[in-house]
């Protein structure tokens, strides 16, 4: 019986959202040129050819930003996004920061998207990070792991103060706790609902400082103490 050679059939190259997966060549964010994907980068390394990267991935460190060029350095110069010895972020700014349980992360971010048109004109940058749970009485991570939603705003304190009540109302269904040292519109009643040990804190303050030596307007507003 005569053997008939059948050429091997290649699977078609797939496209997802306009990206050619076979070879994994894709555009960088600026659309200026194609950037090699992981498979092509490996072939370039084996062949000893240089690998082109997106411009944002090649930035060296400077006085205000941590290096993003893959260079080796001590952990304290690579983990922070702002160098320790520098002025963080822009310097001329105001900030707000809220902590929501990690299980609510996606829903909380979706809720904030409705305010995007009001947020954007006043925003420098938004930072998202996760933090592990602890059992400290006034810790924003008390009880469970959280997503931190941090906004670094342009120095528009009046506009940000006007926006915060709506922003915090959006986060209220997800028990969004504000950062103690940043802008917030929440008062003592709202804070008490978010921190189950507030009553213990008030009792401790009354016992340790009966003469109100360390009392302040801020403490009275947010802790009712």
């Amino acid at each position: 019986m005569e053997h008939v050679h059948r050429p091997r059939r290649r699977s078609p190259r797939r496209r997802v959202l306009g990206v050619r997966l076979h070879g994994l060549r894709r555009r960088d964010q600026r659309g200026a040129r194609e950037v090699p994907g992981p498979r092509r980068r490996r072939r370039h390394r084996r062949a000893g050819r240089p690998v082109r990267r997106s411009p944002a991935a090649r930035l060296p460190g400077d006085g205000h930003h941590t290096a993003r060029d893959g260079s080796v350095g001590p952990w304290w110069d690579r983990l922070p996004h702002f160098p320790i010895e520098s002025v963080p972020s822009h310097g001329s700014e105001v900030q707000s920061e809220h902590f929501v349980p990690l299980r609510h992360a996606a829903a909380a971010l979706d809720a904030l998207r409705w305010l995007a048109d009001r947020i954007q004109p006043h925003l420098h940058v938004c930072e998202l990070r996760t933090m592990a749970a602890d059992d400290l009485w006034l810790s924003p991570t008390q009880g469970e792991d959280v997503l931190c939603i941090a906004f670094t705003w342009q120095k528009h304190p009046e506009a940000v103060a006007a926006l915060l009540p709506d922003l915090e109302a959006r986060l209220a269904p997800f028990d969004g706790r504000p950062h103690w040292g940043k802008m917030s519109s929440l008062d003592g009643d709202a804070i008490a609902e978010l921190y189950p040990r507030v009553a213990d804190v008030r009792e401790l303050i009354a016992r340790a400082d009966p003469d109100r030596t360390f009392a302040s307007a801020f403490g009275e507003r947010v802790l009712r103490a």
Side-chain angles (χ1 to χ4, degrees):
M1 181 176 178
E2 183 179 357
H3 176 72
V4 178
H5 175 72
R6 296 180 182 276
R8 184 178 178 181
R9 183 180 178 182
R10 290 188 174 185
S11 60
R13 295 178 176 180
R14 296 181 296 157
R15 290 179 180 268
V16 177
L17 297 178
V19 178
R20 191 177 72 185
L21 298 184
H22 187 85
L24 293 178
R25 289 182 66 82
R26 61 184 184 272
R27 292 273 177 186
D28 66 16
Q29 292 181 349
R30 298 183 181 180
R33 60 182 179 182
E34 289 189 327
V35 179
R39 290 176 57 185
R40 190 173 295 273
R41 287 201 296 265
R42 288 195 293 269
R43 290 201 297 270
H44 280 211
R45 290 192 184 100
R46 287 197 295 266
R49 295 195 296 269
V51 177
R52 292 185 301 173
R53 295 182 181 273
S54 168
R58 299 196 302 267
L59 295 176
D62 57 28
H64 297 283
H65 301 89
T66 299
R68 287 178 285 168
D69 58 357
S71 59
V72 177
W75 65 265
W76 59 85
D77 277 344
R78 293 300 181 268
L79 289 182
H81 53 298
F82 299 121
I84 293 175
E85 70 276 4
S86 73
V87 175
S89 191
H90 291 264
S92 178
E93 64 197 42
V94 292
Q95 297 191 2
S96 67
E97 192 166 350
H98 293 80
F99 306 81
V100 298
L102 195 55
R103 55 193 167 88
H104 294 320
L109 293 175
D110 284 342
L112 292 181
R113 287 184 186 277
W114 291 93
L115 298 175
D117 290 342
R118 296 177 59 192
I119 290 173
Q120 187 61 44
H122 308 292
L123 189 65
H124 276 313
V125 67
C126 176
E127 173 192 344
L128 303 176
R129 67 182 186 275
T130 57
M131 299 175 65
D134 59 42
D135 59 358
L136 304 178
W137 289 3
L138 293 181
S139 170
T141 64
Q142 181 197 83
E144 60 181 307
D145 298 345
V146 301
L147 172 73
C148 170
I149 306 172
F151 290 105
T152 299
W153 305 96
Q154 298 178 46
K155 202 167 185 179
H156 304 162
E158 294 82 8
V160 174
L163 174 59
L164 278 176
D166 293 335
L167 187 151
E168 290 177 321
R170 289 277 176 181
L171 295 178
F174 314 109
D175 298 328
R177 294 170 172 169
H179 191 293
W180 291 109
K182 300 185 179 181
M183 292 186 69
S184 173
S185 66
L186 299 185
D187 60 15
D189 295 334
I191 294 292
E193 294 181 2
L194 297 171
Y195 290 88
R197 302 301 298 271
V198 164
D200 297 318
V201 172
R202 292 170 179 164
E203 181 183 350
L204 177 62
I205 291 173
R207 188 170 65 250
D209 186 22
D211 298 327
R212 310 285 292 162
T213 302
F214 298 100
S216 68
F218 175 79
E220 292 173 357
R221 179 174 71 84
V222 302
L223 292 176
R224 298 285 192 256

